[in-house]
Amino acid sequence: MLNKNIETFLGCDNEYGESDIVVFGAPFDSTTSFRPGTRFASRTMRGESYGLETYSPYQDKDLEDLAVFDGGDLELCFGDTEKVLAAIESYTTRVLRDNKRPVMIGGEHLVTLGAVRAVARKYPELYVVHFDAHADLRDDYLGITLSHATVLHRVWDIIGDGRIYQFGIRSGERSEFQWGQDHVTTQKFNFKGLAEVVEKLQGKPVYFTLDLDVLDPSVFPGTGTPEPGGVSFMELLEAIQTVSQLNLVGCDINELSPVYDQSGASTAVACKVLRELLLAMA
Ligand SMILES: [Mn+2]
C-alpha cells in the first residue's frame, strides 16, 4: 500500500488517539491593521519545516520521541470574525475534552481569543503568559472590539485582573500602558522577571501566547507590524524553556506573514521556535 500525500509539521505525524499535543492552524488575518498575510503561515511552516532536523541539540530531545498530532488548518469563513472565533473555540474545546494540549499556529493574534475562551472554560483559574512587541491592550481599534490590537484586552474580559503577564512589550498607546498598570503585569523590552513569574505560577494552569514579533525584525522581518528593538532568537529560546516549566494547558504562536519573508528566514525561525516549544512542552 502506498501512503497518501499528507504534509504535517515536521515530526508531528502521530495518530490523534495516541497524541498528547495537537497542532493545528488558524489561517485568519482579517483584522490585521497594517500588512495582512498571516493566513499563509501554517501551510508555509509545514512545508518549510522539513529544512529542520527533528532533533534539538539545545534540549537534547527529538520530535520523533513525542506524540504530536497535526490536525491541519481549520476551514475558517471569511468576513465574520465571531464565526471564526467560534470555530477555533470549538476545535480547542474538542482537543481539551480529549485531555490533549492544543498548540495553535496563527494567523493574526486575535485567534488567541478563540482558544482562550475554550481553555478558560475548562480551567477557570487560568493565567496567560504573553510574549509580544505590542501590548494589544486597546479596548477597541477604530471602533472594532475584536481586533489583533485588542486581543489581550478581550482575554482580560474573560480572566480578569492579575492573570496576564506580558514580556518584551515595546509598542502601544500611552493609554494602553496606563490601563495595563491596573490590570496586567507588563515587562517592557525583555524577559526580566520571567523566572520569578514562573516560580509564582507553579502548578497553575497557564496559556502561553507567543507573538513572534517579540523577536527583533533583524531576526524575524516576516511579520505584519515589525517593531525594532526586539529580543534575539537565543533569548526567546531560553525564555521558552523557562515558560515550559509551567503547567502549560495550551499555546499558540502567531503573526508570521510569509509574504514579507522573501528570504524564507522568518519562516525558518518560526519553525524552529515551534519545534523547541513542542519539545519544551514534552
Ligand atoms: Mn505583536
PDB file of all heavy atoms in Angstrom, residues 88-119:
ATOM      1  N   ILE A  88     -12.615  28.251  16.178  1.00  0.00           N
ATOM      2  CA  ILE A  88     -11.370  27.985  16.917  1.00  0.00           C
ATOM      3  C   ILE A  88     -11.705  27.479  18.321  1.00  0.00           C
ATOM      4  O   ILE A  88     -11.110  26.513  18.815  1.00  0.00           O
ATOM      5  CB  ILE A  88     -10.504  29.262  16.990  1.00  0.00           C
ATOM      6  CG1 ILE A  88     -10.037  29.661  15.594  1.00  0.00           C
ATOM      7  CG2 ILE A  88      -9.319  29.063  17.939  1.00  0.00           C
ATOM      8  CD1 ILE A  88      -9.420  31.041  15.509  1.00  0.00           C
ATOM      9  N   GLU A  89     -12.693  28.111  18.945  1.00  0.00           N
ATOM     10  CA  GLU A  89     -13.112  27.706  20.300  1.00  0.00           C
ATOM     11  C   GLU A  89     -13.615  26.266  20.291  1.00  0.00           C
ATOM     12  O   GLU A  89     -13.266  25.468  21.169  1.00  0.00           O
ATOM     13  CB  GLU A  89     -14.212  28.656  20.792  1.00  0.00           C
ATOM     14  CG  GLU A  89     -14.723  28.312  22.174  1.00  0.00           C
ATOM     15  CD  GLU A  89     -15.840  29.251  22.626  1.00  0.00           C
ATOM     16  OE1 GLU A  89     -16.157  30.222  21.891  1.00  0.00           O
ATOM     17  OE2 GLU A  89     -16.386  29.009  23.713  1.00  0.00           O
ATOM     18  N   SER A  90     -14.401  25.945  19.284  1.00  0.00           N
ATOM     19  CA  SER A  90     -14.997  24.614  19.230  1.00  0.00           C
ATOM     20  C   SER A  90     -13.914  23.534  19.021  1.00  0.00           C
ATOM     21  O   SER A  90     -13.914  22.488  19.683  1.00  0.00           O
ATOM     22  CB  SER A  90     -16.049  24.621  18.118  1.00  0.00           C
ATOM     23  OG  SER A  90     -16.164  23.383  17.529  1.00  0.00           O
ATOM     24  N   TYR A  91     -12.962  23.809  18.151  1.00  0.00           N
ATOM     25  CA  TYR A  91     -11.873  22.839  17.916  1.00  0.00           C
ATOM     26  C   TYR A  91     -11.029  22.662  19.181  1.00  0.00           C
ATOM     27  O   TYR A  91     -10.689  21.550  19.584  1.00  0.00           O
ATOM     28  CB  TYR A  91     -10.993  23.326  16.756  1.00  0.00           C
ATOM     29  CG  TYR A  91     -10.001  22.289  16.259  1.00  0.00           C
ATOM     30  CD1 TYR A  91     -10.337  21.420  15.219  1.00  0.00           C
ATOM     31  CD2 TYR A  91      -8.728  22.188  16.815  1.00  0.00           C
ATOM     32  CE1 TYR A  91      -9.438  20.478  14.765  1.00  0.00           C
ATOM     33  CE2 TYR A  91      -7.821  21.237  16.366  1.00  0.00           C
ATOM     34  CZ  TYR A  91      -8.174  20.393  15.333  1.00  0.00           C
ATOM     35  OH  TYR A  91      -7.270  19.453  14.884  1.00  0.00           O
ATOM     36  N   THR A  92     -10.726  23.791  19.819  1.00  0.00           N
ATOM     37  CA  THR A  92      -9.911  23.748  21.039  1.00  0.00           C
ATOM     38  C   THR A  92     -10.643  22.985  22.148  1.00  0.00           C
ATOM     39  O   THR A  92     -10.027  22.207  22.889  1.00  0.00           O
ATOM     40  CB  THR A  92      -9.574  25.178  21.507  1.00  0.00           C
ATOM     41  OG1 THR A  92      -9.019  25.897  20.402  1.00  0.00           O
ATOM     42  CG2 THR A  92      -8.572  25.171  22.644  1.00  0.00           C
ATOM     43  N   THR A  93     -11.940  23.213  22.243  1.00  0.00           N
ATOM     44  CA  THR A  93     -12.751  22.520  23.254  1.00  0.00           C
ATOM     45  C   THR A  93     -12.669  21.013  23.055  1.00  0.00           C
ATOM     46  O   THR A  93     -12.507  20.242  24.010  1.00  0.00           O
ATOM     47  CB  THR A  93     -14.225  22.981  23.156  1.00  0.00           C
ATOM     48  OG1 THR A  93     -14.268  24.388  23.410  1.00  0.00           O
ATOM     49  CG2 THR A  93     -15.102  22.255  24.169  1.00  0.00           C
ATOM     50  N   ARG A  94     -12.752  20.591  21.803  1.00  0.00           N
ATOM     51  CA  ARG A  94     -12.683  19.164  21.493  1.00  0.00           C
ATOM     52  C   ARG A  94     -11.332  18.577  21.923  1.00  0.00           C
ATOM     53  O   ARG A  94     -11.267  17.516  22.546  1.00  0.00           O
ATOM     54  CB  ARG A  94     -12.910  18.979  19.983  1.00  0.00           C
ATOM     55  CG  ARG A  94     -12.630  17.609  19.455  1.00  0.00           C
ATOM     56  CD  ARG A  94     -13.677  16.596  19.950  1.00  0.00           C
ATOM     57  NE  ARG A  94     -13.152  15.234  19.849  1.00  0.00           N
ATOM     58  CZ  ARG A  94     -13.229  14.482  18.767  1.00  0.00           C
ATOM     59  NH1 ARG A  94     -13.834  14.935  17.680  1.00  0.00           N
ATOM     60  NH2 ARG A  94     -12.719  13.252  18.759  1.00  0.00           N
ATOM     61  N   VAL A  95     -10.277  19.284  21.613  1.00  0.00           N
ATOM     62  CA  VAL A  95      -8.929  18.822  21.969  1.00  0.00           C
ATOM     63  C   VAL A  95      -8.788  18.714  23.487  1.00  0.00           C
ATOM     64  O   VAL A  95      -8.271  17.722  24.013  1.00  0.00           O
ATOM     65  CB  VAL A  95      -7.864  19.795  21.384  1.00  0.00           C
ATOM     66  CG1 VAL A  95      -6.474  19.467  21.918  1.00  0.00           C
ATOM     67  CG2 VAL A  95      -7.882  19.739  19.854  1.00  0.00           C
ATOM     68  N   LEU A  96      -9.284  19.708  24.199  1.00  0.00           N
ATOM     69  CA  LEU A  96      -9.186  19.720  25.668  1.00  0.00           C
ATOM     70  C   LEU A  96     -10.031  18.609  26.279  1.00  0.00           C
ATOM     71  O   LEU A  96      -9.632  17.983  27.257  1.00  0.00           O
ATOM     72  CB  LEU A  96      -9.648  21.074  26.216  1.00  0.00           C
ATOM     73  CG  LEU A  96      -8.768  22.280  25.890  1.00  0.00           C
ATOM     74  CD1 LEU A  96      -9.492  23.567  26.268  1.00  0.00           C
ATOM     75  CD2 LEU A  96      -7.426  22.188  26.600  1.00  0.00           C
ATOM     76  N   ARG A  97     -11.197  18.387  25.684  1.00  0.00           N
ATOM     77  CA  ARG A  97     -12.087  17.342  26.200  1.00  0.00           C
ATOM     78  C   ARG A  97     -11.398  15.972  26.107  1.00  0.00           C
ATOM     79  O   ARG A  97     -11.605  15.089  26.934  1.00  0.00           O
ATOM     80  CB  ARG A  97     -13.406  17.339  25.419  1.00  0.00           C
ATOM     81  CG  ARG A  97     -14.523  16.639  26.170  1.00  0.00           C
ATOM     82  CD  ARG A  97     -15.704  16.248  25.285  1.00  0.00           C
ATOM     83  NE  ARG A  97     -16.082  17.322  24.371  1.00  0.00           N
ATOM     84  CZ  ARG A  97     -16.398  17.109  23.099  1.00  0.00           C
ATOM     85  NH1 ARG A  97     -16.399  15.899  22.582  1.00  0.00           N
ATOM     86  NH2 ARG A  97     -16.735  18.114  22.318  1.00  0.00           N
ATOM     87  N   ASP A  98     -10.585  15.797  25.092  1.00  0.00           N
ATOM     88  CA  ASP A  98      -9.865  14.532  24.921  1.00  0.00           C
ATOM     89  C   ASP A  98      -8.551  14.520  25.711  1.00  0.00           C
ATOM     90  O   ASP A  98      -7.694  13.661  25.481  1.00  0.00           O
ATOM     91  CB  ASP A  98      -9.598  14.288  23.435  1.00  0.00           C
ATOM     92  CG  ASP A  98     -10.897  14.065  22.665  1.00  0.00           C
ATOM     93  OD1 ASP A  98     -11.896  13.637  23.290  1.00  0.00           O
ATOM     94  OD2 ASP A  98     -10.924  14.337  21.442  1.00  0.00           O
ATOM     95  N   ASN A  99      -8.416  15.481  26.627  1.00  0.00           N
ATOM     96  CA  ASN A  99      -7.244  15.582  27.510  1.00  0.00           C
ATOM     97  C   ASN A  99      -5.919  15.696  26.761  1.00  0.00           C
ATOM     98  O   ASN A  99      -4.913  15.103  27.126  1.00  0.00           O
ATOM     99  CB  ASN A  99      -7.201  14.405  28.487  1.00  0.00           C
ATOM    100  CG  ASN A  99      -8.322  14.513  29.504  1.00  0.00           C
ATOM    101  OD1 ASN A  99      -8.565  15.597  30.048  1.00  0.00           O
ATOM    102  ND2 ASN A  99      -9.024  13.423  29.734  1.00  0.00           N
ATOM    103  N   LYS A 100      -5.977  16.483  25.680  1.00  0.00           N
ATOM    104  CA  LYS A 100      -4.765  16.779  24.924  1.00  0.00           C
ATOM    105  C   LYS A 100      -4.520  18.290  25.011  1.00  0.00           C
ATOM    106  O   LYS A 100      -5.421  19.048  25.349  1.00  0.00           O
ATOM    107  CB  LYS A 100      -4.940  16.353  23.473  1.00  0.00           C
ATOM    108  CG  LYS A 100      -5.269  14.863  23.350  1.00  0.00           C
ATOM    109  CD  LYS A 100      -5.580  14.482  21.925  1.00  0.00           C
ATOM    110  CE  LYS A 100      -6.156  13.080  21.828  1.00  0.00           C
ATOM    111  NZ  LYS A 100      -5.294  12.027  22.371  1.00  0.00           N
ATOM    112  N   ARG A 101      -3.304  18.685  24.696  1.00  0.00           N
ATOM    113  CA  ARG A 101      -2.968  20.097  24.776  1.00  0.00           C
ATOM    114  C   ARG A 101      -2.915  20.722  23.380  1.00  0.00           C
ATOM    115  O   ARG A 101      -2.184  20.247  22.515  1.00  0.00           O
ATOM    116  CB  ARG A 101      -1.624  20.271  25.489  1.00  0.00           C
ATOM    117  CG  ARG A 101      -1.735  19.908  26.968  1.00  0.00           C
ATOM    118  CD  ARG A 101      -0.452  20.152  27.707  1.00  0.00           C
ATOM    119  NE  ARG A 101       0.584  19.191  27.313  1.00  0.00           N
ATOM    120  CZ  ARG A 101       1.850  19.306  27.672  1.00  0.00           C
ATOM    121  NH1 ARG A 101       2.243  20.351  28.377  1.00  0.00           N
ATOM    122  NH2 ARG A 101       2.724  18.393  27.312  1.00  0.00           N
ATOM    123  N   PRO A 102      -3.701  21.787  23.165  1.00  0.00           N
ATOM    124  CA  PRO A 102      -3.704  22.437  21.852  1.00  0.00           C
ATOM    125  C   PRO A 102      -2.497  23.362  21.667  1.00  0.00           C
ATOM    126  O   PRO A 102      -2.123  24.104  22.591  1.00  0.00           O
ATOM    127  CB  PRO A 102      -4.996  23.261  21.880  1.00  0.00           C
ATOM    128  CG  PRO A 102      -5.235  23.561  23.327  1.00  0.00           C
ATOM    129  CD  PRO A 102      -4.664  22.394  24.110  1.00  0.00           C
ATOM    130  N   VAL A 103      -1.908  23.305  20.490  1.00  0.00           N
ATOM    131  CA  VAL A 103      -0.874  24.267  20.081  1.00  0.00           C
ATOM    132  C   VAL A 103      -1.297  24.814  18.720  1.00  0.00           C
ATOM    133  O   VAL A 103      -1.248  24.103  17.712  1.00  0.00           O
ATOM    134  CB  VAL A 103       0.522  23.616  19.998  1.00  0.00           C
ATOM    135  CG1 VAL A 103       1.541  24.625  19.466  1.00  0.00           C
ATOM    136  CG2 VAL A 103       0.969  23.114  21.372  1.00  0.00           C
ATOM    137  N   MET A 104      -1.737  26.057  18.721  1.00  0.00           N
ATOM    138  CA  MET A 104      -2.304  26.652  17.518  1.00  0.00           C
ATOM    139  C   MET A 104      -1.269  27.509  16.799  1.00  0.00           C
ATOM    140  O   MET A 104      -0.533  28.266  17.424  1.00  0.00           O
ATOM    141  CB  MET A 104      -3.499  27.513  17.930  1.00  0.00           C
ATOM    142  CG  MET A 104      -4.147  28.292  16.813  1.00  0.00           C
ATOM    143  SD  MET A 104      -5.682  29.097  17.348  1.00  0.00           S
ATOM    144  CE  MET A 104      -5.088  30.142  18.675  1.00  0.00           C
ATOM    145  N   ILE A 105      -1.267  27.387  15.468  1.00  0.00           N
ATOM    146  CA  ILE A 105      -0.447  28.274  14.644  1.00  0.00           C
ATOM    147  C   ILE A 105      -1.368  29.321  14.025  1.00  0.00           C
ATOM    148  O   ILE A 105      -2.273  28.967  13.260  1.00  0.00           O
ATOM    149  CB  ILE A 105       0.265  27.490  13.510  1.00  0.00           C
ATOM    150  CG1 ILE A 105       1.054  26.296  14.049  1.00  0.00           C
ATOM    151  CG2 ILE A 105       1.162  28.426  12.710  1.00  0.00           C
ATOM    152  CD1 ILE A 105       1.630  25.394  12.938  1.00  0.00           C
ATOM    153  N   GLY A 106      -1.170  30.616  14.374  1.00  0.00           N
ATOM    154  CA  GLY A 106      -1.934  31.676  13.711  1.00  0.00           C
ATOM    155  C   GLY A 106      -1.341  31.901  12.341  1.00  0.00           C
ATOM    156  O   GLY A 106      -0.304  31.322  12.003  1.00  0.00           O
ATOM    157  N   GLY A 107      -1.936  32.684  11.623  1.00  0.00           N
ATOM    158  CA  GLY A 107      -2.945  33.635  11.877  1.00  0.00           C
ATOM    159  C   GLY A 107      -2.439  34.864  12.641  1.00  0.00           C
ATOM    160  O   GLY A 107      -1.337  34.941  13.136  1.00  0.00           O
ATOM    161  N   GLU A 108      -3.299  35.848  12.577  1.00  0.00           N
ATOM    162  CA  GLU A 108      -3.081  37.057  13.367  1.00  0.00           C
ATOM    163  C   GLU A 108      -3.363  36.745  14.837  1.00  0.00           C
ATOM    164  O   GLU A 108      -3.936  35.706  15.168  1.00  0.00           O
ATOM    165  CB  GLU A 108      -3.998  38.159  12.872  1.00  0.00           C
ATOM    166  CG  GLU A 108      -5.472  37.749  12.935  1.00  0.00           C
ATOM    167  CD  GLU A 108      -6.414  38.916  13.075  1.00  0.00           C
ATOM    168  OE1 GLU A 108      -6.861  39.460  12.051  1.00  0.00           O
ATOM    169  OE2 GLU A 108      -6.691  39.259  14.232  1.00  0.00           O
ATOM    170  N   HIS A 109      -3.020  37.692  15.691  1.00  0.00           N
ATOM    171  CA  HIS A 109      -3.062  37.402  17.126  1.00  0.00           C
ATOM    172  C   HIS A 109      -4.475  37.226  17.675  1.00  0.00           C
ATOM    173  O   HIS A 109      -4.672  36.593  18.717  1.00  0.00           O
ATOM    174  CB  HIS A 109      -2.320  38.502  17.892  1.00  0.00           C
ATOM    175  CG  HIS A 109      -1.743  38.025  19.181  1.00  0.00           C
ATOM    176  ND1 HIS A 109      -0.699  38.645  19.812  1.00  0.00           N
ATOM    177  CD2 HIS A 109      -2.067  36.977  19.978  1.00  0.00           C
ATOM    178  CE1 HIS A 109      -0.408  38.003  20.936  1.00  0.00           C
ATOM    179  NE2 HIS A 109      -1.229  36.989  21.052  1.00  0.00           N
ATOM    180  N   LEU A 110      -5.495  37.735  16.991  1.00  0.00           N
ATOM    181  CA  LEU A 110      -6.858  37.599  17.527  1.00  0.00           C
ATOM    182  C   LEU A 110      -7.265  36.132  17.693  1.00  0.00           C
ATOM    183  O   LEU A 110      -8.124  35.818  18.507  1.00  0.00           O
ATOM    184  CB  LEU A 110      -7.871  38.345  16.636  1.00  0.00           C
ATOM    185  CG  LEU A 110      -9.298  38.383  17.191  1.00  0.00           C
ATOM    186  CD1 LEU A 110      -9.372  39.135  18.518  1.00  0.00           C
ATOM    187  CD2 LEU A 110     -10.269  38.996  16.186  1.00  0.00           C
ATOM    188  N   VAL A 111      -6.649  35.237  16.930  1.00  0.00           N
ATOM    189  CA  VAL A 111      -7.024  33.812  17.035  1.00  0.00           C
ATOM    190  C   VAL A 111      -6.875  33.299  18.471  1.00  0.00           C
ATOM    191  O   VAL A 111      -7.572  32.375  18.885  1.00  0.00           O
ATOM    192  CB  VAL A 111      -6.210  32.915  16.068  1.00  0.00           C
ATOM    193  CG1 VAL A 111      -6.502  33.300  14.611  1.00  0.00           C
ATOM    194  CG2 VAL A 111      -4.717  32.964  16.350  1.00  0.00           C
ATOM    195  N   THR A 112      -5.982  33.921  19.229  1.00  0.00           N
ATOM    196  CA  THR A 112      -5.769  33.532  20.631  1.00  0.00           C
ATOM    197  C   THR A 112      -7.077  33.580  21.429  1.00  0.00           C
ATOM    198  O   THR A 112      -7.311  32.744  22.303  1.00  0.00           O
ATOM    199  CB  THR A 112      -4.732  34.481  21.276  1.00  0.00           C
ATOM    200  OG1 THR A 112      -3.519  34.375  20.534  1.00  0.00           O
ATOM    201  CG2 THR A 112      -4.461  34.126  22.731  1.00  0.00           C
ATOM    202  N   LEU A 113      -7.916  34.566  21.122  1.00  0.00           N
ATOM    203  CA  LEU A 113      -9.156  34.728  21.883  1.00  0.00           C
ATOM    204  C   LEU A 113     -10.047  33.486  21.776  1.00  0.00           C
ATOM    205  O   LEU A 113     -10.614  33.038  22.774  1.00  0.00           O
ATOM    206  CB  LEU A 113      -9.911  35.978  21.398  1.00  0.00           C
ATOM    207  CG  LEU A 113     -11.232  36.271  22.104  1.00  0.00           C
ATOM    208  CD1 LEU A 113     -11.041  36.465  23.608  1.00  0.00           C
ATOM    209  CD2 LEU A 113     -11.902  37.508  21.488  1.00  0.00           C
ATOM    210  N   GLY A 114     -10.144  32.927  20.580  1.00  0.00           N
ATOM    211  CA  GLY A 114     -10.967  31.725  20.409  1.00  0.00           C
ATOM    212  C   GLY A 114     -10.461  30.583  21.275  1.00  0.00           C
ATOM    213  O   GLY A 114     -11.237  29.892  21.952  1.00  0.00           O
ATOM    214  N   ALA A 115      -9.150  30.394  21.298  1.00  0.00           N
ATOM    215  CA  ALA A 115      -8.561  29.311  22.093  1.00  0.00           C
ATOM    216  C   ALA A 115      -8.722  29.577  23.586  1.00  0.00           C
ATOM    217  O   ALA A 115      -9.081  28.670  24.353  1.00  0.00           O
ATOM    218  CB  ALA A 115      -7.085  29.150  21.725  1.00  0.00           C
ATOM    219  N   VAL A 116      -8.495  30.828  23.992  1.00  0.00           N
ATOM    220  CA  VAL A 116      -8.593  31.149  25.428  1.00  0.00           C
ATOM    221  C   VAL A 116     -10.029  30.970  25.929  1.00  0.00           C
ATOM    222  O   VAL A 116     -10.246  30.525  27.057  1.00  0.00           O
ATOM    223  CB  VAL A 116      -8.067  32.569  25.720  1.00  0.00           C
ATOM    224  CG1 VAL A 116      -8.464  33.042  27.113  1.00  0.00           C
ATOM    225  CG2 VAL A 116      -6.545  32.596  25.593  1.00  0.00           C
ATOM    226  N   ARG A 117     -11.011  31.298  25.104  1.00  0.00           N
ATOM    227  CA  ARG A 117     -12.409  31.069  25.513  1.00  0.00           C
ATOM    228  C   ARG A 117     -12.610  29.612  25.916  1.00  0.00           C
ATOM    229  O   ARG A 117     -13.269  29.309  26.911  1.00  0.00           O
ATOM    230  CB  ARG A 117     -13.365  31.434  24.372  1.00  0.00           C
ATOM    231  CG  ARG A 117     -13.569  32.918  24.199  1.00  0.00           C
ATOM    232  CD  ARG A 117     -14.421  33.201  22.961  1.00  0.00           C
ATOM    233  NE  ARG A 117     -14.700  34.633  22.817  1.00  0.00           N
ATOM    234  CZ  ARG A 117     -15.294  35.155  21.754  1.00  0.00           C
ATOM    235  NH1 ARG A 117     -15.670  34.386  20.744  1.00  0.00           N
ATOM    236  NH2 ARG A 117     -15.510  36.447  21.697  1.00  0.00           N
ATOM    237  N   ALA A 118     -12.051  28.710  25.124  1.00  0.00           N
ATOM    238  CA  ALA A 118     -12.202  27.276  25.420  1.00  0.00           C
ATOM    239  C   ALA A 118     -11.375  26.872  26.638  1.00  0.00           C
ATOM    240  O   ALA A 118     -11.862  26.170  27.529  1.00  0.00           O
ATOM    241  CB  ALA A 118     -11.777  26.453  24.195  1.00  0.00           C
ATOM    242  N   VAL A 119     -10.137  27.326  26.687  1.00  0.00           N
ATOM    243  CA  VAL A 119      -9.231  26.905  27.760  1.00  0.00           C
ATOM    244  C   VAL A 119      -9.717  27.447  29.114  1.00  0.00           C
ATOM    245  O   VAL A 119      -9.685  26.745  30.121  1.00  0.00           O
ATOM    246  CB  VAL A 119      -7.784  27.371  27.463  1.00  0.00           C
ATOM    247  CG1 VAL A 119      -6.860  27.030  28.611  1.00  0.00           C
ATOM    248  CG2 VAL A 119      -7.271  26.720  26.179  1.00  0.00           C
TER     249      VAL A 119
END
